[in-house]
């Protein structure tokens, strides 16, 4: 039984391409054809399944004739052009098979010259589009296109159809527009595209010479140029020399211009490639992988930048947390005056309270004041009742913001928890 009963067997008009492709797929799968059978040999296929179809090879003298088909209830015959290549004949035979399967007329003379008969044009469109999909199924073709980096001769060998048919298929599926292979194409032409995104993490690739995505480390042999919105990933603010403004380890803000490392805790303040043979230094504050060699950067090695997936989860967890708190009135409010408030505490002589809040940020979500602190050490101090009372009284005295509760959160708490890998002892290392 075939699954074909819901579709009309005979086509006389244009059909939606997706529907037509589905019809072709159903036809092939009813014959037991799978991806393993590619490249598909259409002549063998016809000979195997249709004993009432005779195939002969004639010398038509003109290379513009693809094939001839006579359809008859008892015995049908097809003639293919001897003067065309084997690959060309593979396409021609599949073209005739489409007529054989789906079309009502009894005689077909198929040429590569343009046709003015409108009815004939429709049937020829079906036959070419159908043959293309049968011999080069869309999904398999896209996979192979990426695998072979768009090389037409390799695709032609894999699918066993002529290079012209391959080129037409690439244009027809719009692949030339979606993928550009950096090894084949002069990179400067990419400059005309305003938006180039990493295919795996959607990071905006601003430097056309990057070999690897700076966020996820994906090798950039293919780049999706158009499509989705770019993603932004968490990163650190750097000064004009690409050096950290605040030490992320000890939170020292008094950075010594003449030193590469924090003079309080010794933290290295630049984001460099960690591969000593590569030599790329001073990368942006959100870069996790070296754009030249793909190695992780010093920020990742020091664990102040997490991998892109954890960073994304972190952001989503934080947004979800804020949204849940905002339920009573739907409001999430940034507090741009938070730093002024902290200054006010310091000036009022509340030095301890100022100190533990110094690196915090705050938001009002619903009726809750959320205080974000970068370190757990501060969280314990802020959470004391006395401190919370001081914050509430002083904040309410200056700003007219309504909140009934305070929550203190360490920003690291939003990262996903991973199982600690079991640490191996030196005994396990074989010599
Ligand atoms: Zn035809
Ligand atoms: Zn990426
Ligand atoms: Zn430090
Ligand atoms: Zn590198």
């Amino acid at each position: 039984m075939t699954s074909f009963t819901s579709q009309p067997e005979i086509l006389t008009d244009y059909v939606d391409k997706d529907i037509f492709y589905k019809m072709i797929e159903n036809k092939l799968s009813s014959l037991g054809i799978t991806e393993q059978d590619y490249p598909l040999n259409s002549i063998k296929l016809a000979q195997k399944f249709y004993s009432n179809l005779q195939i002969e090879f004639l010398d038509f003298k003109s290379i513009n004739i693809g094939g001839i088909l006579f359809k008859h209830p008892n015995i049908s015959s097809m003639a293919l052009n001897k003067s065309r290549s084997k690959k060309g004949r593979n396409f021609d035979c599949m073209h005739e098979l489409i007529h054989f399967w789906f079309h009502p007329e009894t005689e077909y003379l198929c040429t590569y010259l343009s046709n003015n008969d409108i009815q004939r044009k429709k049937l020829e469109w079906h036959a070419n589009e159908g043959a293309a999909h049968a011999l080069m199924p869309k999904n398999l073709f896209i996979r192979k296109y990426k695998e072979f980096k768009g090389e037409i001769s390799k695709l032609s060998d894999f699918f066993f159809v002529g290079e012209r048919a391959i080129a037409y298929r690439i244009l027809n599926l719009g692949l030339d527009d979606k993928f550009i292979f950096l090894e084949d194409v002069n990179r400067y032409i990419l400059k005309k595209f305003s938006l180039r995104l990493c295919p795996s993490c959607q990071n905006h690739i601003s430097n056309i010479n990057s070999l690897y995505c700076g966020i996820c480390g994906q090798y950039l042999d293919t780049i999706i140029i158009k499509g989705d919105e770019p993603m932004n990933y968490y990163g650190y603010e750097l000064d004009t020399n690409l050096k950290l403004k605040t030490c992320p380890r000890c939170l020292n803000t008094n950075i010594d211009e003449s030193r590469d490392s924090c003079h309080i805790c010794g933290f290295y303040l630049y984001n460099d490639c960690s591969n000593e043979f590569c030599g790329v230094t001073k990368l942006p504050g959100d870069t996790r992988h070296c754009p030249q060699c793909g190695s992780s950067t010093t920020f990742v090695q020091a664990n102040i930048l997490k991998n892109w997936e954890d960073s994304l989860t972190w952001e989503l967890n934080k947004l979800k947390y804020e949204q849940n708190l905002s339920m009573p009135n739907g409001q999430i409010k940034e507090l741009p005056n938070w730093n002024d408030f902290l200054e006010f505490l310091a000036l009022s002589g509340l030095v301890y309270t100022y100190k533990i809040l110094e690196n915090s940020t705050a938001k009002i979500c619903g009726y809750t004041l959320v205080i974000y602190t970068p370190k757990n050490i501060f969280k314990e101090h802020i959470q004391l009742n006395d401190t919370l009372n001081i914050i509430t009284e002083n904040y309410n005295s200056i700003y007219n913001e309504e909140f009934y509760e305070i929550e203190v959160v360490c920003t690291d708490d939003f990262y996903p928890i991973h199982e600690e890998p079991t640490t191996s002892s030196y005994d396990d290392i074989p010599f």
Side-chain angles (χ1 to χ4, degrees):
M1 277 297 288
T2 68
S3 55
F4 221 73
T5 41
S6 60
Q7 309 277 6
E9 278 276 0
I10 295 300
L11 280 172
T12 52
D13 214 338
Y14 286 116
V15 279
D16 182 83
K17 209 197 251 183
D18 289 336
I19 294 172
F20 187 49
Y21 279 3
K22 196 77 216 155
M23 293 170 73
I24 303 286
E25 286 161 26
N26 287 342
K27 191 73 181 176
L28 292 175
S29 71
S30 76
L31 301 175
I33 306 286
T34 68
E35 273 192 9
Q36 312 302 319
D37 298 308
Y38 283 83
L40 208 56
N41 184 327
S42 63
I43 296 167
K44 277 196 180 149
L45 183 139
Q47 285 165 337
K48 182 177 172 192
F49 291 103
Y50 303 101
S51 51
N52 60 340
L53 173 64
Q54 291 177 331
I55 300 179
E56 32 180 356
F57 300 90
L58 302 177
D59 195 349
F60 286 118
K61 303 291 181 208
S62 164
I63 204 153
N64 289 320
I65 297 172
I68 298 174
L69 177 71
F70 292 106
K71 268 175 94 171
H72 190 271
N74 297 326
I75 198 108
S76 301
S77 54
M78 184 195 295
L80 296 171
N81 191 346
K82 248 189 191 171
S83 51
R84 303 227 326 131
S85 69
K86 276 189 175 176
K87 284 176 175 175
R89 285 203 296 264
N90 196 27
F91 191 90
D92 296 340
C93 177
M94 187 50 85
H95 174 113
E96 299 308 327
L97 273 176
I98 303 292
H99 289 311
F100 182 71
W101 285 332
F102 299 109
H103 290 154
E105 299 183 17
T106 51
E107 292 181 14
Y108 301 86
L109 168 63
C110 303
T111 71
Y112 286 90
L113 306 170
S114 60
N115 203 316
N116 290 325
D117 181 336
I118 291 182
Q119 178 57 21
R120 216 63 211 199
K121 258 189 175 167
K122 284 179 198 166
L123 303 186
E124 289 306 294
W125 179 85
H126 289 150
N128 285 327
E129 197 63 42
H133 189 59
L135 295 174
M136 303 169 268
K138 189 174 169 182
N139 292 336
L140 181 63
F141 191 82
I142 293 172
R143 282 211 313 277
K144 290 290 162 188
Y145 181 80
K146 289 194 214 171
E147 187 184 319
F148 298 141
K149 303 199 194 320
E151 225 176 284
I152 289 178
S153 63
K154 283 187 182 162
L155 288 162
S156 164
D157 287 344
F158 179 84
F159 289 102
F160 207 73
V161 294
E163 297 196 350
R164 220 174 85 170
I166 294 287
Y168 186 77
R169 190 74 174 145
I170 291 170
L171 295 172
N172 192 253
L173 294 174
L175 299 181
D176 58 317
D177 213 20
K178 252 191 167 160
F179 302 96
I180 285 202
F181 296 96
L182 298 183
E183 282 148 19
D184 305 334
V185 177
N186 285 333
R187 284 170 186 243
Y188 75 88
I189 68 163
L190 292 178
K191 278 184 179 159
K192 69 180 179 176
F193 298 106
S194 57
L195 202 60
R196 299 183 307 117
L197 307 180
C198 165
S200 97
C201 76
Q202 254 96 292
N203 169 44
H204 177 208
I205 313 287
S206 50
N207 183 351
I208 58 159
N209 293 314
S210 295
L211 293 174
Y212 295 87
C213 169
I215 296 294
C216 74
Q218 160 85 30
Y219 179 58
L220 298 173
D221 61 339
T222 66
I223 290 188
I224 293 176
I225 292 159
K226 295 169 185 169
D228 303 304
E229 289 291 304
M231 293 280 304
N232 289 312
Y233 289 88
Y234 180 81
Y236 289 90
E237 218 184 311
L238 306 179
D239 68 14
T240 48
N241 294 316
L242 296 166
K243 190 174 175 180
L244 282 164
K245 289 176 164 178
T246 301
C247 170
R249 190 196 280 160
C250 73
L251 305 176
N252 164 38
T253 51
N254 189 14
I255 300 297
D256 186 338
E257 258 184 54
S258 64
R259 291 174 187 237
D260 291 343
S261 301
C262 169
H263 68 285
I264 302 295
C265 74
F267 189 88
Y268 182 68
L269 298 167
Y270 290 103
N271 196 19
D272 295 348
C273 173
S274 65
N275 174 358
E276 56 181 310
F277 300 106
C278 169
V280 170
T281 58
K282 297 191 180 181
L283 292 161
D286 63 349
T287 299
R288 287 144 172 88
H289 291 271
C290 169
Q292 277 311 302
C293 76
S295 300
S296 56
T297 64
T298 47
F299 281 8
V300 171
Q301 300 273 309
N303 205 27
I304 65 161
L305 277 184
K306 307 280 190 218
N307 73 59
W308 69 279
E309 280 162 315
D310 282 0
S311 302
L312 200 56
T313 309
W314 176 86
E315 198 180 334
L316 294 175
N317 285 343
K318 190 163 173 277
L319 288 171
K320 192 171 159 197
Y321 168 80
E322 290 173 1
Q323 187 179 299
N324 284 342
L325 284 179
S326 75
M327 285 308 179
N329 61 6
Q331 277 191 22
I332 298 174
K333 235 195 271 179
E334 304 275 349
L335 295 180
N337 54 32
W338 186 248
N339 278 331
D340 301 339
F341 170 62
L342 300 185
E343 295 281 316
F344 170 79
L345 292 179
L347 293 172
S348 313
L350 296 160
V351 180
Y352 163 73
T353 315
Y354 167 74
K355 194 70 202 165
I356 57 175
L357 289 173
E358 195 185 0
N359 292 290
S360 66
T361 57
K363 269 185 187 180
I364 290 180
C365 305
Y367 298 112
T368 307
L369 173 72
V370 185
I371 299 173
Y372 292 111
T373 174
K375 302 273 176 202
N376 261 316
I377 311 171
F378 298 122
K379 182 174 161 180
E380 291 160 22
H381 285 265
I382 302 167
Q383 269 175 333
L384 298 173
N385 274 337
D386 286 352
T387 310
L388 295 180
N389 288 337
I390 290 171
I391 295 169
T392 311
E393 280 167 24
N394 284 283
Y395 199 84
N396 285 343
S397 72
I398 330 172
Y399 304 104
N400 196 18
E401 302 280 2
E402 233 185 339
F403 59 84
Y404 305 133
E405 266 178 278
I406 299 181
E407 286 210 15
V408 186
V409 197
C410 178
T411 41
D412 283 349
D413 294 347
F414 293 112
Y415 281 113
I417 298 155
H418 297 293
E419 292 283 321
E420 286 290 323
T422 45
T423 47
S424 60
S425 67
Y426 284 110
D427 299 342
D428 296 338
I429 299 169
F431 289 94

